[in-house]
Amino acid sequence: MKLYLIYGGKSAEHEVSLKSAYSIMTILYYEYYTVIPVYITKEGKWLKGETIESKDQVPAKEDLERTDNKIDFNFNEMLEGESVAFPVLHGPNGEDGTIQGLFEVFDIPYVGAGVLTSAVGMDKVVSKRIFSDAGLPILPYKEVYLNEWTIDPETVSDQLEADIGYPMYIKPVNMGSSVGVARADDHMGLIRAMGLAFEYDHRIVVEKGVEVREIEVALLGNEDIHTSVPGELVKHKSFYDYEDKYINDKVIRQVPSDIPDELAKELREMAVEAFRAINGSGVSRVDFFLTEDNEIYINEINTFPGFTQNSMYPRVWAKTGLPYEDLIQEVIQLGIRRHKDKHTANTNRNKDNLTS
């Protein structure tokens, strides 16, 4: 089977994608797949690298984003023979349902969540509304549009101070990996944080800041959903930004989290509820806030979490009993299975129409 490993992308999470793609390339079971690496540049150009048929042929990490050793990619290639797409993309234009819609239109099996799930999971405001409707606890928040802020920033900031209060966390609505996220402890900090967030999106979400532990649960499956042991991002300061997480690697990932078994069970059950609420499939990671009094709040769901060997998603699965290489094989098979199940349903529906 030809596996098109698609990485890079136009989003600010381009570098995270490169790291995930390289890790996957080095661990794949090449006895099952011929890998065609497809690099999407920051400008949106699709380029094909050399075919990989064994671990010995995996390019050096720094070669993944070289363009002089790649050729223009013809998308029609994916329509020929037995193939599956593996979009190792984070953020907008990759994790938000756009590329998933492309694969659906051309009937190409692909790894990860579907169109609706990807779009909802990427949008922090829409997902919060759905979680709230499903009875899952969330922290107080407000949505702010760029035009509101541009016209009257003082009125907006006064309203946020009255409704949310300090500290606040300000985030672009459609972005991940803590890109564009900042904490505000006073008025001037809020002004700076709003400006930063609006560099990445025309909608931002402002959330109430509380002292919490950050607990994460991984999910795997389509209709049959499995959960991992919870992991924890152990913090030595109130907030870790993109550079702390991915450049300086200052985040300590504790697996499993040091929490009581009953609390771990409750978190895993809530993760499944969140996954089902957005019609999840394939892979996801649900991030929770846990207060000192063991109150649980759902922060967000990540429909394509980081896949480096040091990322939380593969680490919690390894601790749960699923090694990294087997995890990659399983997520690919889940994508293929979902595609086959969809075709079976369509075929049965067409038969019913013919006999009615």
Side-chain angles (χ1 to χ4, degrees), residues 21-228:
Y22 181 75
S23 292
I24 292 168
M25 286 180 188
T26 60
I27 208 72
L28 269 169
Y29 289 141
Y30 283 95
E31 57 266 39
Y32 301 125
Y33 309 103
T34 295
V35 175
I36 297 93
V38 180
Y39 173 51
I40 304 177
T41 69
K42 292 180 179 179
E43 295 73 37
K45 190 172 184 179
W46 292 47
L47 300 172
K48 183 175 76 168
E50 293 287 338
T51 298
I52 307 171
E53 296 182 340
S54 70
K55 292 181 182 179
D56 296 336
Q57 296 176 345
V58 173
K61 197 172 186 179
E62 56 270 20
D63 287 342
L64 292 186
E65 56 183 335
R66 281 179 55 189
T67 58
D68 60 342
N69 61 347
K70 298 176 178 63
I71 61 174
D72 290 347
F73 177 61
N74 184 350
F75 191 83
N76 288 330
E77 284 187 31
M78 300 182 72
L79 308 179
E80 301 169 358
E82 191 178 22
S83 63
V84 58
F86 196 157
V88 187
L89 299 164
H90 301 293
N93 297 306
E95 196 182 343
D96 59 355
T98 50
I99 200 166
Q100 289 78 11
L102 179 66
F103 297 141
E104 291 284 356
V105 167
F106 287 99
D107 197 28
I108 297 168
Y110 60 94
V111 174
V115 176
L116 176 65
T117 305
S118 300
V120 169
M122 192 77 235
D123 192 301
K124 292 180 175 64
V125 171
V126 172
S127 58
K128 285 180 186 297
R129 289 171 182 161
I130 290 175
F131 295 148
S132 180
D133 189 57
L136 294 165
I138 59 173
L139 287 170
Y141 74 95
K142 290 288 183 181
E143 180 182 15
V144 181
Y145 284 83
L146 176 59
N147 67 326
E148 296 176 308
W149 182 252
T150 303
I151 293 169
D152 194 352
E154 286 305 316
T155 297
V156 172
S157 57
D158 288 347
Q159 196 65 52
L160 290 172
E161 289 169 343
D163 294 344
I164 304 293
Y166 296 110
M168 308 177 201
Y169 284 98
I170 295 87
K171 309 175 181 180
V173 168
N174 287 284
M175 192 59 67
S177 301
S178 296
V179 174
V181 179
R183 172 183 165 121
D185 293 296
D186 53 37
H187 184 76
M188 287 308 299
L190 176 60
I191 300 299
R192 287 192 296 269
M194 297 288 278
L196 173 65
F198 278 127
E199 290 180 15
Y200 296 95
D201 203 344
H202 72 285
R203 295 163 59 220
I204 64 173
V205 59
V206 181
E207 298 173 342
K208 177 67 178 176
V210 293
E211 292 298 318
V212 294
R213 297 164 66 182
E214 295 188 28
I215 314 293
E216 302 181 351
V217 176
L219 299 112
L220 185 66
N222 293 335
E223 288 81 12
D224 186 18
I225 306 167
H226 303 274
T227 60
S228 73

Side-chain angles (χ1 to χ4, degrees), residues 2 11 21 28 87 135 159-160 228 244 249 260 276 294-295 304:
K2 291 186 294 184
S11 87
L28 269 169
Q159 196 65 52
L160 290 172
S228 73
D244 288 333
D249 200 23
R276 285 187 170 142
N294 286 341
E295 288 182 296
F304 196 82

